[in-house]
Amino acid sequence: QAFLCVTSTLNVAVFRDHLVLEDLVEEMKQQSPALSFGPLQRDGQIAVQGSFPALRVLRDFLLLKAKSLSEEDRREGKSHQRPRRKLQEHRGAAEMRNSARDTHREKQVLVLDTDIYHYMKCFHPRAFQGNAVVISGVTDGDITTVCIESAGSKAGAAQGLKAKKMIESYSVELQRVLRKERICFKEPSRAGRQRQRQLCEKLKARYPRVLLIPYDTHLDLVGTSADVFGFAEELKR
């Protein structure tokens, strides 16, 4: 199995108060002709299939649209505000600065294939250890959303962007070279599955760059074509 195409479920219901969702979907199709779109569901969800680069372009398009709508809301809100008197000015300036610093943080978001994410976490952990940034991942099936948070300062934003580019670079390279093989457990008993897992762990010493992802009914091997093929053949013998 090659990492060439993925399916992601988008929830565009957040735009319902501002846009006609059917019109938004048509705009998305024009923006990303390389993607395949499923039917728009009543709850605002829609399945989108295509390559990671094309999905990233669509994601950036939706983020920009959401940002522009948010800015419009703020401008409209300010135009209807009445002047307010300053209250409780005696509060410490340090407390106010700390509060502002906590709320003003830069955020970068990436969407990765879950297997590539796990492989990167295992064999390229430095990609998720940027200076002055907090990097977290939320997995939903085949897709993992990576969030990169940094301080709102110019230096913090630069560190966040650097971390994003590093993860993107690793992701593109791994997507090109990695393959996945699924090994189904033939023995139904727990003891039989345990013996197969132990055999896989022994083989792993000969293929240290293969990632083993165990499940109850099968085992996924993730690595280069040569390593995954060699591992699977030895396991079958």
Side-chain angles (χ1 to χ4, degrees), residues 199-211:
L199 176 59
C200 289
E201 290 296 334
K202 290 181 180 179
L203 285 175
K204 193 177 185 319
R206 300 183 60 179
Y207 299 92
R209 301 296 291 183
V210 171
L211 175 66

Side-chain angles (χ1 to χ4, degrees), residues 59-89:
R59 177 208 63 196
D60 293 341
F61 164 74
L62 291 175
L63 288 175
L64 284 174
K65 185 169 286 290
K67 183 178 180 181
S68 65
L69 292 174
S70 177
E71 290 173 351
E72 286 182 11
D73 285 345
R74 284 199 297 270
R75 286 196 296 269
E76 291 177 2
K78 288 180 180 179
S79 66
H80 291 89
Q81 284 180 353
R82 288 179 293 180
R84 297 179 180 179
R85 291 184 303 170
K86 294 181 181 179
L87 299 176
Q88 298 180 341
E89 290 185 349

Side-chain angles (χ1 to χ4, degrees), residues 30-215:
Q30 295 177 7
Q31 174 72 23
S32 303
L35 295 175
S36 298
F37 292 81
L40 178 64
Q41 305 299 320
R42 295 182 62 182
D43 60 359
Q45 295 194 28
I46 183 171
V48 184
Q49 187 179 67
S51 67
F52 274 106
L55 283 172
R56 278 198 291 265
V57 171
L58 178 62
R59 177 208 63 196
D60 293 341
F61 164 74
L62 291 175
L63 288 175
L64 284 174
K65 185 169 286 290
K67 183 178 180 181
S68 65
L69 292 174
S70 177
E71 290 173 351
E72 286 182 11
D73 285 345
R74 284 199 297 270
R75 286 196 296 269
E76 291 177 2
K78 288 180 180 179
S79 66
H80 291 89
Q81 284 180 353
R82 288 179 293 180
R84 297 179 180 179
R85 291 184 303 170
K86 294 181 181 179
L87 299 176
Q88 298 180 341
E89 290 185 349
H90 62 279
R91 287 184 178 177
E95 178 183 344
M96 295 175 66
R97 286 196 299 270
N98 288 337
S99 176
R101 190 180 302 117
D102 289 339
T103 57
H104 183 54
R105 296 183 65 83
E106 292 287 336
K107 182 180 291 187
Q108 306 278 354
V109 178
L110 288 168
V111 179
L112 303 178
D113 177 275
T114 295
D115 292 319
I116 288 180
Y117 170 75
H118 287 313
Y119 193 92
M120 200 184 305
K121 287 274 288 185
C122 180
F123 296 108
H124 304 284
R126 291 184 60 186
F128 298 95
Q129 300 171 0
N131 294 327
V133 295
V134 177
I135 303 176
S136 58
V138 177
T139 296
D140 181 12
D142 293 336
I143 298 295
T144 294
T145 302
V146 177
C147 180
I148 305 167
E149 290 189 275
S150 59
S153 64
K154 186 175 181 180
Q159 289 294 333
L161 186 60
K162 179 181 179 181
K164 177 185 177 183
K165 288 182 176 180
M166 179 180 291
I167 294 174
E168 282 183 330
S169 177
Y170 274 123
S171 174
V172 170
E173 176 62 19
L174 292 175
Q175 185 177 336
R176 186 179 65 84
V177 301
L178 291 183
R179 298 292 182 269
K180 181 169 74 172
E181 178 87 10
R182 177 158 293 179
I183 306 296
C184 295
F185 295 137
K186 296 181 179 180
E187 299 189 47
S189 67
R190 178 178 297 181
R193 293 197 299 269
Q194 183 62 28
R195 283 194 297 271
Q196 287 181 300
R197 289 195 183 97
Q198 291 173 351
L199 176 59
C200 289
E201 290 296 334
K202 290 181 180 179
L203 285 175
K204 193 177 185 319
R206 300 183 60 179
Y207 299 92
R209 301 296 291 183
V210 171
L211 175 66
L212 305 183
I213 306 178
Y215 296 92

